[in-house]
Amino acid sequence: MSADPPHADAFAREIEELTDFTVISTDSVGDALATLDTRADVECIVSDYDVPDIDGLAFLQSVRAQYPDIPFILFTSEGNETVASKAITVRVTDYLIKERFQDQWAQLAELIEESITYHRSQRSLADPKSRAKVIFETVPDPLAVVQDGTLCYANGTALDLFEIESLETLSGRSVIDHIATDFRDTATSSLDAIQAEERRVDRFELTVVGREGANTPVELTAVAIRWSGSRAILLILRDISERKEAQLGLRRFKQAAEAAGHAVYITDAEGTIEYVNPAFESTTGYTAEEAMGKTPSIMKSGEMSTDYYADLWDTILAGDVWEEELINRRKDGELYHAHQTIAPITDHEGEIQSFVAIQTDISERVRRRQEAQRQKRRYESLFNNIRDAILVADTDRRIVDCNEAFTDLFGYDLDEIEGDQTKYVYESEEAYEEMGEALAGHANDPQFTTLVEYEKQSGQVFPGETSVSYRRDSDDNVTGYIALIRDVSGRNERIAQLRIIDTVLRHNLHNDLNVIEGNASLIADDTTGKVETRAQKIIDTSGKLLKTTDKQRLITDLLAEAPTPEPIDIASRLDTTVSSIRDSHPAADISLDAPDTCEIRAVPELVQGIKELIENAIEHSDRDQPTVEVTIERQDGTVTVTVADDGPGIPEMERQVLTRTEDIEPLYHGSGMGLWFVTLVVRRSDGVLEFHENEPRGSVVTIRLPYD
């Protein structure tokens, strides 16, 4: 229940989202009590302190009169220790201060679930009226019950107020007899209206007259309740004369602290511990006997500064409440974090008589907070040290954050563009719209990569390879975008230059080699003997060089285009390839041992690379009938393609250079472009290339690829 409708709406929305419970909101104490009367499925009450009609403590007392065991949580902005201690005496289940922590809704939801679970397992079988009386006897406020205009019950404090010795003496007395004459009409009218159910709650001030004649000004709260199955009125009479003695309040507080879930200890004015509750014993490990007579320094961890304790004593000796976090040490030596509140207790003259401290073990909360801070620091470090530009935007594509690399690349500082549309960094409106379509089209993907034309603050346009990831909440809803942008203008220039060199080189080589080959053919046709043999050598060599330029073209394409791996049935494709090689090399003995189908994910050029391995083994063989064995095996998520031959083998230096275990030196002579092409396609397919010697002679080339 709350007097703040927006807060009540937020409470209902958040708690229903975090739990399986249904929230019933009311805007008055009367409605809340009526709900309790008519519904049997209410399992927990969460109330603000500032509520209509009466305050949260009076509402709690009204509930305890009829439902002594139902969980009741005060969720309030009231951080006053007087409120907290009174709430404890009336058996409040817990007391949570609004917005003290960022995760207040999650904390409150957890507290509600724990309270309900405990209540379900510990439901009392005792008579509710008897349970209410037990609770009321520990309450410092005078409480009385009226039926048919006469007093039928009063707690000890109320008996003192009425100056009546016992309940037996009280029975049958009219409550009006104990109200000063000037207030009797108001009181009679109010109580009659509540008894007739014309109203549920009323509150006003009057003077109570004791049996011996003592006059005490009180704030009277009257609430309609059921008592022993009949209509009754609960009277909450709060002494507003400020004449309560501190020791009485302290004694009542001790009684309530026994049932409190927080560690509570009380010291004298000098700081010597006089009382600890059971929760203190379980939290610190010290028994009451071990703690009493000592000072709180037995829990000192050495982690807090002398200034901390100096400020603490300055605050409480000035009569103010101290509320802070600290690190204490349990009896077994273990450190723990606690939220501690220390309040001075004064006598009627304002002199400090003692101090009461309430500790809540927040070690787990601090651990979570520290872990969140560590994760934030790791994120910020990674965010600021990534060399690529990072741009973070919300779902409206407004800029939220950027890193230093973005500033270096684009020229914008975050404070210049924060909150602006990301369209300012695109080269054109069209480029901005295309990215919007891409964001919508890839919403079900974790990320995607695309090439975008951007514009710097200086006006310079450049191509940016952009990888976009989606920010999502706990429900997997998209909350924004993170873009990693890499300037690839230099890479594009290198690719363009590579294309130019490739075109010029292939054109010149093809033309010149065709001229050489043509002239050599004419010489071979017109001559015999050594000249014919040498001319044929020129023709063969020219043919090899032409093949080399063709292979160089394949390598250039791979370097420039960077093909994307795709699903390939390697068994079927190699079956066709091997059949084609057999037709073109009839003298060779080529075998294929493979399953019927074998799906892998690789670049399409991989098949051409394996063909290159087979043909290279045949062409470099020193046997009349070369033997090549091709094997495909699938095991443990890996597909292995093996090409084994019985030729002279691949030179050691060649193998080391191709597998990147040695650098290319001036004296290195490569045996051709084919193996370079194989190395590239295997790498583009996320595979591993290995070279081994065959037994008794030859080479074994192994390609290991991920199984799709």
Side-chain angles (χ1 to χ4, degrees):
M1 183 176 62
S2 173
D4 182 1
H7 184 267
D9 292 341
F11 168 84
R13 183 177 60 254
E14 294 290 340
I15 297 304
E16 288 186 343
E17 183 176 334
L18 292 168
T19 69
D20 294 327
F21 301 125
T22 299
V23 176
I24 303 170
S25 297
T26 61
D27 53 13
S28 71
V29 171
D31 290 344
L33 292 172
T35 299
L36 288 171
D37 289 346
T38 57
R39 295 188 64 125
D41 57 348
V42 177
E43 294 196 274
C44 183
I45 299 170
V46 181
S47 175
D48 202 335
Y49 180 80
D50 296 316
V51 294
D53 306 325
I54 59 178
D55 59 49
L57 287 178
F59 177 40
L60 171 58
Q61 291 166 331
S62 303
V63 170
R64 287 288 174 255
Q66 303 171 88
Y67 309 95
D69 297 313
I70 191 170
F72 192 110
I73 298 171
L74 267 179
F75 184 49
T76 176
S77 57
E78 284 286 337
N80 188 298
E81 289 305 313
T82 301
V83 174
S85 62
K86 284 187 176 181
I88 291 173
T89 62
V90 197
R91 304 291 174 88
V92 71
T93 305
D94 216 313
Y95 179 86
L96 196 64
I97 299 176
K98 292 180 188 175
E99 300 174 352
R100 173 168 288 172
F101 306 103
Q102 292 182 350
D103 58 342
Q104 62 170 346
W105 297 119
Q107 279 194 337
L108 182 55
E110 181 180 355
L111 186 58
I112 291 171
E113 290 181 326
E114 290 176 352
S115 300
I116 291 175
T117 300
Y118 181 81
H119 174 58
R120 287 173 177 172
S121 64
Q122 300 291 323
R123 282 182 176 139
S124 173
L125 298 178
D127 172 50
K129 185 175 78 171
S130 300
R131 292 279 295 124
K133 287 182 178 180
V134 170
I135 294 173
F136 286 171
E137 289 303 321
T138 67
V139 177
D141 286 335
L143 301 176
V145 178
V146 175
Q147 282 185 318
D148 299 324
T150 61
L151 292 163
C152 62
Y153 168 76
N155 66 357
T157 313
L159 291 176
D160 292 341
L161 179 65
F162 295 138
E163 296 182 310
I164 294 177
E165 297 177 357
S166 66
L167 286 174
E168 290 75 17
T169 308
L170 172 78
S171 180
R173 294 183 64 87
S174 171
V175 67
I176 300 301
D177 293 341
H178 290 281
I179 296 176
T181 304
D182 293 345
F183 300 96
R184 286 185 178 180
D185 290 342
T186 300
T188 300
S189 175
S190 175
L191 296 179
D192 288 345
I194 293 175
Q195 186 69 35
E197 297 187 333
E198 295 175 3
R199 67 182 69 163
R200 190 69 187 248
V201 177
D202 202 0
R203 180 171 60 179
F204 49 93
E205 293 183 2
L206 51 77
T207 299
V208 171
V209 179
R211 190 176 182 184
E212 302 297 326
N215 292 326
T216 306
V218 300
E219 178 190 77
L220 172 65
T221 300
V223 183
I225 64 170
R226 303 289 293 182
W227 189 263
S228 298
S230 302
R231 293 177 186 174
I233 302 173
L234 173 67
L235 304 181
I236 304 170
L237 305 114
R238 291 183 181 165
D239 185 354
I240 56 175
S241 66
E242 299 181 356
R243 292 186 292 107
K244 294 181 180 180
E245 295 184 5
Q247 290 301 317
L248 175 61
L250 181 59
R251 184 170 67 253
R252 302 299 189 191
F253 178 80
K254 286 181 180 180
Q255 293 174 351
E258 294 296 317
H262 305 291
V264 178
Y265 63 93
I266 298 173
T267 73
D268 63 16
E270 303 301 320
T272 301
I273 297 174
E274 296 180 327
Y275 165 82
V276 299
N277 72 339
F280 175 95
E281 295 178 304
S282 61
T283 297
T284 67
Y286 290 99
T287 65
E289 291 75 14
E290 292 171 326
M292 286 191 291
K294 306 288 197 313
T295 67
S297 63
I298 60 173
M299 299 174 285
K300 202 169 185 179
S301 65
E303 300 289 325
M304 310 306 296
S305 67
T306 54
D307 289 341
Y308 175 92
Y309 293 107
D311 290 343
L312 185 158
W313 279 105
D314 287 346
T315 300
I316 60 178
L317 288 175
D320 297 323
V321 175
W322 172 266
E323 186 174 4
E324 277 291 344
E325 292 183 8
L326 81 162
I327 302 174
N328 270 353
R329 190 181 300 277
R330 307 185 208 274
K331 181 182 176 182
D332 62 7
E334 178 188 3
L335 298 178
Y336 71 98
H337 292 260
H339 180 274
Q340 179 168 260
T341 302
I342 303 177
I345 299 175
T346 59
D347 59 19
H348 64 279
E349 295 180 352
E351 294 294 324
I352 295 175
Q353 300 296 305
S354 54
F355 299 101
V356 58
I358 302 175
Q359 269 194 13
T360 303
D361 188 341
I362 59 170
S363 300
E364 179 59 24
R365 187 190 310 161
V366 170
R367 187 197 66 76
R368 292 196 302 266
R369 184 174 66 202
Q370 291 174 341
E371 179 59 26
Q373 291 171 345
R374 282 194 293 270
Q375 291 178 356
K376 181 180 179 182
R377 287 194 297 269
R378 287 197 296 269
Y379 164 77
E380 290 176 345
S381 176
L382 181 63
F383 186 80
N384 291 320
N385 288 296
I386 287 179
R387 297 173 62 182
D388 291 332
I390 300 178
L391 184 64
V392 183
D394 60 20
T395 51
D396 294 326
R397 300 179 69 187
R398 294 186 181 277
I399 297 171
V400 174
D401 202 356
C402 67
N403 67 346
E404 293 180 4
F406 177 89
T407 299
D408 293 340
L409 178 59
F410 282 85
Y412 295 104
D413 288 325
L414 178 60
D415 56 5
E416 296 179 80
I417 58 175
E418 187 175 8
D420 291 339
Q421 289 282 344
T422 56
K423 66 173 61 178
Y424 293 110
V425 301
Y426 288 89
E427 180 268 338
S428 64
E429 182 75 23
E430 182 181 1
Y432 174 76
E433 296 297 336
E434 287 177 355
M435 176 57 83
E437 293 174 3
L439 290 171
H442 291 274
N444 294 325
D445 302 328
Q447 65 177 37
F448 67 92
T449 301
T450 185
L451 191 64
V452 179
E453 289 294 319
Y454 291 106
E455 183 175 326
K456 301 180 182 180
Q457 189 180 39
S458 64
Q460 182 184 8
V461 176
F462 70 95
E465 184 179 79
T466 306
S467 296
V468 179
S469 300
Y470 293 82
R471 303 175 70 192
R472 300 180 185 273
D473 60 19
S474 58
D475 295 324
D476 204 35
N477 297 314
V478 175
T479 61
Y481 314 100
I482 303 174
L484 274 73
I485 304 169
R486 178 174 297 175
D487 183 354
V488 294
S489 54
R491 185 179 71 187
N492 289 355
E493 290 172 1
R494 290 192 295 273
I495 290 173
Q497 292 169 358
L498 184 63
R499 287 293 194 192
I500 293 171
I501 293 172
D502 170 61
T503 301
V504 172
L505 182 62
R506 285 191 306 104
H507 180 269
N508 291 345
L509 277 176
H510 267 276
N511 286 347
D512 292 345
L513 287 173
N514 284 331
V515 171
I516 293 171
E517 189 176 34
N519 282 285
S521 295
L522 292 174
I523 294 172
D525 291 341
D526 294 339
T527 59
T528 59
K530 289 184 178 181
V531 175
E532 181 185 7
T533 301
R534 289 171 180 169
Q536 189 60 47
K537 181 69 173 178
I538 293 173
I539 294 171
D540 294 341
T541 303
S542 298
K544 290 180 180 179
L545 286 173
L546 286 171
K547 287 184 179 180
T548 298
T549 59
D550 290 337
K551 293 173 182 176
Q552 175 265 328
R553 175 63 184 276
L554 292 173
I555 293 174
T556 301
D557 289 341
L558 275 175
L559 293 173
E561 298 298 335
T564 303
E566 60 185 51
I568 295 174
D569 184 352
I570 192 66
S572 174
R573 298 284 292 274
L574 283 188
D575 183 61
T576 303
T577 299
V578 168
S579 296
S580 173
I581 297 174
R582 286 182 183 134
D583 292 339
S584 59
H585 297 83
D589 180 10
I590 309 170
S591 64
L592 174 63
D593 183 6
D596 293 337
T597 60
C598 183
E599 287 280 340
I600 63 170
R601 180 170 287 275
V603 297
E605 291 81 0
L606 177 67
V607 177
Q608 176 64 32
I610 298 173
K611 179 182 179 183
E612 194 67 40
L613 286 175
I614 299 171
E615 291 182 335
N616 187 74
I618 295 172
E619 292 171 1
H620 289 84
S621 178
D622 54 1
R623 293 179 179 272
D624 293 335
Q625 185 180 23
T627 299
V628 181
E629 297 175 348
V630 182
T631 305
I632 301 175
E633 294 180 327
R634 182 173 58 204
Q635 186 176 10
D636 297 332
T638 301
V639 172
T640 302
V641 180
T642 303
V643 179
D645 65 66
D646 59 353
I650 301 174
E652 178 66 20
M653 180 178 287
E654 185 87 5
R655 295 195 310 236
Q656 291 177 347
V657 171
L658 292 174
T659 55
R660 292 185 171 182
T661 57
E662 290 289 346
D663 293 330
I664 298 177
E665 297 181 356
L667 296 179
Y668 167 72
H669 299 282
S671 63
M673 302 293 285
L675 291 179
W676 284 99
F677 176 71
V678 175
T679 302
L680 285 174
V681 295
V682 171
R683 200 170 295 140
R684 291 284 193 272
S685 301
D686 197 25
V688 177
L689 183 65
E690 298 175 351
F691 295 90
H692 302 284
E693 293 182 359
N694 201 2
E695 294 295 337
R697 71 192 303 267
S699 298
V700 178
V701 182
T702 302
I703 301 172
R704 303 188 191 282
L705 299 159
Y707 174 55
D708 187 28

